[in-house]
Amino acid sequence: MQLSLSVLFSFLLTCSTLHLGIPILSKYLLDIPNERSSHSKAVPTGYGIFLSFIISIFLFINNHYYVLICLPLAIIGFIDDLKPLSSKFRYCAQLLISFFIIQYFSLLTELKSFNYFFSLIFLLLFITAIINFFNFIDGVDGLITSNLLIYFLLISIIISPVYLIVFGSLAAFLYFNWQPAKVFLGDSGSTFLGALTVCTIFYDTPSIEKTILMICSLSALLIDPFTCVIRRLLYGENIFQPHKLFLFQRLVQAGLSHSRVSLIYCLVSLILFITVLSNNVTLVYSSFLCSIIFGIYLDLFVAVSFKDALNSTKKEKN
């Protein structure tokens, strides 16, 4: 009964704060389009701070206390939405939060057969990468929200129904975030959701195999930023500089609407959702491989080429 009420109230509270918050954010916190934006109109941003607190309250009530570890990222992200902070400060904060996540879930104990130092470094890099990847990919209307909606429905089935709380809040937010978006999450929401997702990967996942399956189910949100970072490194680019080189951005540049791009990514997530539910490991890995092949097809034959987008970015800078 308590969980059902929590899911209902998380949905209703998100709806009500959206109606109240959007006019306030429109007045004080607008995302003004620039050369690296995928939208052409100013849109209120920073709603993620409301979403983060709503989710945190109801997860905490239902004894998922680790959500408090993620909450500082929402606060730091909101400050960054208001006035950009140093990238070094943000990353140091992410490292600290990541360390607390590692300690809370005793991840180093789980990896006791490996070298302590290298295990710690690997986990810190892995967790901060996901946090930043979620921040990077939140650039098209409804993209991250719709894909996480599918993910949290999945883990509410296979891990714990408590994650329907997150599903409820995201469902309410998606209506306002779908093209044309009336509000954005901002760094406050994307970084918080990134950290929370990391926690769900390690929550109640006793085997490495199950953890890998959870990561595979998120591949629609992770492969694009991961491959983009690698390609930028190969081209000698500063990976900390803003750009418009992600596949989802280049698909928009090629003429696809925000909603179509989001639906493409959702299709991949939905297929992986079904295969993970099947408990067939071979099928999950096959679907994961197919999603990579599909991404390569989009990159080569649908999106603006990476090289052309890179040259265009360099011209804009000059």
mmCIF file of all heavy atoms in Angstrom, residues 20 32 47 67 164-165 248 250:
data_model
loop_
_atom_site.group_PDB
_atom_site.id
_atom_site.type_symbol
_atom_site.label_atom_id
_atom_site.label_comp_id
_atom_site.label_asym_id
_atom_site.label_seq_id
_atom_site.Cartn_x
_atom_site.Cartn_y
_atom_site.Cartn_z
ATOM 1 N N LEU A 20 3.670 24.432 -11.798
ATOM 2 C CA LEU A 20 4.086 25.585 -11.003
ATOM 3 C C LEU A 20 5.500 26.044 -11.351
ATOM 4 O O LEU A 20 5.799 27.240 -11.309
ATOM 5 C CB LEU A 20 4.019 25.229 -9.505
ATOM 6 C CG LEU A 20 2.621 24.958 -8.925
ATOM 7 C CD1 LEU A 20 2.745 24.419 -7.510
ATOM 8 C CD2 LEU A 20 1.779 26.228 -8.938
ATOM 9 N N ILE A 32 19.294 29.238 -23.487
ATOM 10 C CA ILE A 32 19.347 30.024 -24.720
ATOM 11 C C ILE A 32 20.117 29.245 -25.780
ATOM 12 O O ILE A 32 21.247 28.813 -25.534
ATOM 13 C CB ILE A 32 20.043 31.382 -24.476
ATOM 14 C CG1 ILE A 32 19.400 32.111 -23.285
ATOM 15 C CG2 ILE A 32 19.987 32.234 -25.737
ATOM 16 C CD1 ILE A 32 17.958 32.474 -23.485
ATOM 17 N N TYR A 47 14.645 21.868 -14.386
ATOM 18 C CA TYR A 47 13.579 21.212 -13.640
ATOM 19 C C TYR A 47 14.089 19.969 -12.895
ATOM 20 O O TYR A 47 13.456 19.495 -11.951
ATOM 21 C CB TYR A 47 12.409 20.810 -14.552
ATOM 22 C CG TYR A 47 11.343 20.067 -13.793
ATOM 23 C CD1 TYR A 47 10.460 20.752 -12.963
ATOM 24 C CD2 TYR A 47 11.271 18.667 -13.828
ATOM 25 C CE1 TYR A 47 9.525 20.080 -12.200
ATOM 26 C CE2 TYR A 47 10.335 17.986 -13.078
ATOM 27 C CZ TYR A 47 9.472 18.695 -12.260
ATOM 28 O OH TYR A 47 8.557 18.018 -11.495
ATOM 29 N N VAL A 67 19.857 6.838 -2.248
ATOM 30 C CA VAL A 67 19.495 7.953 -3.125
ATOM 31 C C VAL A 67 20.050 9.274 -2.589
ATOM 32 O O VAL A 67 20.317 10.214 -3.359
ATOM 33 C CB VAL A 67 17.961 8.033 -3.296
ATOM 34 C CG1 VAL A 67 17.279 8.499 -2.012
ATOM 35 C CG2 VAL A 67 17.589 8.943 -4.456
ATOM 36 N N LEU A 164 9.219 1.839 -9.665
ATOM 37 C CA LEU A 164 8.049 2.440 -10.313
ATOM 38 C C LEU A 164 7.878 3.890 -9.867
ATOM 39 O O LEU A 164 7.217 4.681 -10.548
ATOM 40 C CB LEU A 164 6.795 1.630 -9.985
ATOM 41 C CG LEU A 164 6.665 0.274 -10.687
ATOM 42 C CD1 LEU A 164 5.473 -0.494 -10.138
ATOM 43 C CD2 LEU A 164 6.540 0.453 -12.202
ATOM 44 N N ILE A 165 8.469 4.236 -8.723
ATOM 45 C CA ILE A 165 8.465 5.633 -8.265
ATOM 46 C C ILE A 165 9.161 6.518 -9.289
ATOM 47 O O ILE A 165 8.651 7.575 -9.678
ATOM 48 C CB ILE A 165 9.158 5.752 -6.894
ATOM 49 C CG1 ILE A 165 8.325 5.076 -5.808
ATOM 50 C CG2 ILE A 165 9.432 7.213 -6.537
ATOM 51 C CD1 ILE A 165 9.050 4.919 -4.484
ATOM 52 N N PHE A 248 23.155 11.401 -32.084
ATOM 53 C CA PHE A 248 21.801 11.967 -32.026
ATOM 54 C C PHE A 248 21.788 13.403 -32.548
ATOM 55 O O PHE A 248 20.809 13.835 -33.169
ATOM 56 C CB PHE A 248 21.234 11.885 -30.599
ATOM 57 C CG PHE A 248 21.849 12.824 -29.598
ATOM 58 C CD1 PHE A 248 21.409 14.126 -29.470
ATOM 59 C CD2 PHE A 248 22.865 12.388 -28.760
ATOM 60 C CE1 PHE A 248 21.958 14.990 -28.533
ATOM 61 C CE2 PHE A 248 23.423 13.247 -27.826
ATOM 62 C CZ PHE A 248 22.978 14.549 -27.709
ATOM 63 N N ARG A 250 23.918 14.599 -34.859
ATOM 64 C CA ARG A 250 24.145 14.537 -36.300
ATOM 65 C C ARG A 250 22.923 14.012 -37.049
ATOM 66 O O ARG A 250 22.727 14.326 -38.224
ATOM 67 C CB ARG A 250 25.390 13.691 -36.593
ATOM 68 C CG ARG A 250 26.664 14.372 -36.113
ATOM 69 C CD ARG A 250 27.931 13.633 -36.483
ATOM 70 N NE ARG A 250 28.131 12.431 -35.685
ATOM 71 C CZ ARG A 250 28.087 11.200 -36.167
ATOM 72 N NH1 ARG A 250 27.842 10.998 -37.465
ATOM 73 N NH2 ARG A 250 28.294 10.161 -35.385
#
